[in-house]
Amino acid sequence: PAPFDHADENAITFVDKPALLKKIGESRAGAILVPRHVTQAGNANLLCVENPRLAFAKIMQLFYPRRPPFSGISAAATIGRAFCCGSDVNIGPGVYIGDRVTVGDGVTIHPNAYIGDDVTLGEASEIYPNVSILEKVVIGCRVIVHANSVVGSDGFGYTPDGQYHFKIAQVGIVQIDDDVEIGAGNTIDRATFGRTWIQEGVKTDNHVHLAHNVTVGAHSIIVAQVGIAGSAQIGRHVTLA
């Protein structure tokens, strides 16, 4: 796979913009993904599809499949009591796993991640280095959490007593549904009561903050440095930038 302007006879590329469609005949690419309405362009080898960009993304996964950098459970990991572990799990050195943690099939946990008590990780999820997933967080299947993110930190809850700010216990959870990807350096706070809820297919960029009791609707996109205040309700397929 290669970008249009650099693709040679050994590369596959894609075109989905009118300006590039006019230049197809000049390309040296071995194959070009194009919209279905494109029928000919000199001697170029065209692959006509509904969505060239999506097709190209799927092709890239074939050339660059995700592979864990290690295999099995490291002897240098610390694992607590009543650990329920699926098959084909990879846990790197320096990982800490608390008590009563459940990990599904095909999960990968990179070095130095922290997994608190009573956490659930669904199958084929991947937790990158230095991530902290605190107690009672529920994570679905095929979830990716990138490096240095914190899931389940206390919500920011205080009440004044006239002189000081008295901390309100944060006793809820964070629930992350299937096929969510959390960027690097995110902070997702647990609920005061109930749950902070990241629904199916949500993608967050780096440095995003989701406060306590927030709900982010399915398949929404949250771009870098967005902060969502406590108890806000975000709908489905929303983009915040």
Side-chain angles (χ1 to χ4, degrees):
F4 181 83
D5 290 334
H6 299 282
D8 62 17
E9 62 274 8
N10 297 311
I12 184 169
T13 190
F14 77 100
V15 170
D16 65 351
K17 297 179 180 177
L20 291 180
L21 286 171
K22 297 176 182 178
K23 298 171 63 176
I24 287 177
E26 305 170 16
S27 175
R28 297 188 300 116
I32 307 173
L33 295 155
V34 297
R36 289 199 182 277
H37 65 80
V38 177
T39 56
Q40 62 183 31
N43 295 320
N45 295 317
L46 305 183
L47 296 172
C48 300
V49 296
E50 290 295 334
N51 186 331
R53 185 178 295 269
L54 177 61
F56 188 73
K58 292 181 177 180
I59 287 170
M60 285 191 68
Q61 289 187 346
L62 299 178
F63 281 89
Y64 303 104
R66 300 176 68 87
R67 295 188 179 95
F70 48 86
S71 180
I73 299 176
S74 172
T78 300
I79 297 177
R81 296 176 290 108
F83 178 50
C84 183
C85 183
S87 61
D88 300 318
V89 168
N90 303 296
I91 299 176
V95 170
Y96 176 89
I97 294 178
D99 296 337
R100 300 173 300 280
V101 171
T102 298
V103 171
D105 297 345
V107 166
T108 296
I109 305 175
H110 289 258
N112 299 320
Y114 175 95
I115 312 295
D117 294 346
D118 301 297
V119 166
T120 298
L121 294 175
E123 64 181 39
S125 291
E126 186 164 11
I127 309 302
Y128 275 90
N130 302 312
V131 167
S132 295
I133 298 177
L134 304 181
E135 66 273 9
K136 299 181 181 179
V137 169
V138 178
I139 292 180
C141 300
R142 300 171 301 281
V143 171
I144 300 170
V145 183
H146 286 282
N148 296 307
S149 286
V150 179
V151 181
S153 47
D154 273 1
F156 193 69
Y158 300 89
T159 188
D161 66 1
Q163 183 176 6
Y164 301 105
H165 298 288
F166 189 83
K167 184 177 178 64
I168 300 170
Q170 306 292 297
V171 298
I173 67 166
V174 174
Q175 176 181 325
I176 298 178
D177 291 347
D178 297 346
D179 300 304
V180 169
E181 184 161 358
I182 302 298
N186 280 208
T187 50
I188 303 177
D189 290 349
R190 70 177 56 253
T192 307
F193 294 102
R195 63 184 174 181
T196 301
W197 187 15
I198 315 304
Q199 295 182 354
E200 177 184 15
V202 168
K203 315 296 183 188
T204 74
D205 198 353
N206 302 333
H207 302 292
V208 166
H209 173 61
L210 306 179
H212 59 127
N213 292 93
V214 163
T215 295
V216 180
H219 307 291
S220 291
I221 293 287
I222 313 296
V223 185
Q225 301 185 16
V226 166
I228 301 179
S231 300
Q233 306 293 304
I234 308 300
R236 296 169 55 89
H237 292 279
V238 171
T239 299
L240 298 179

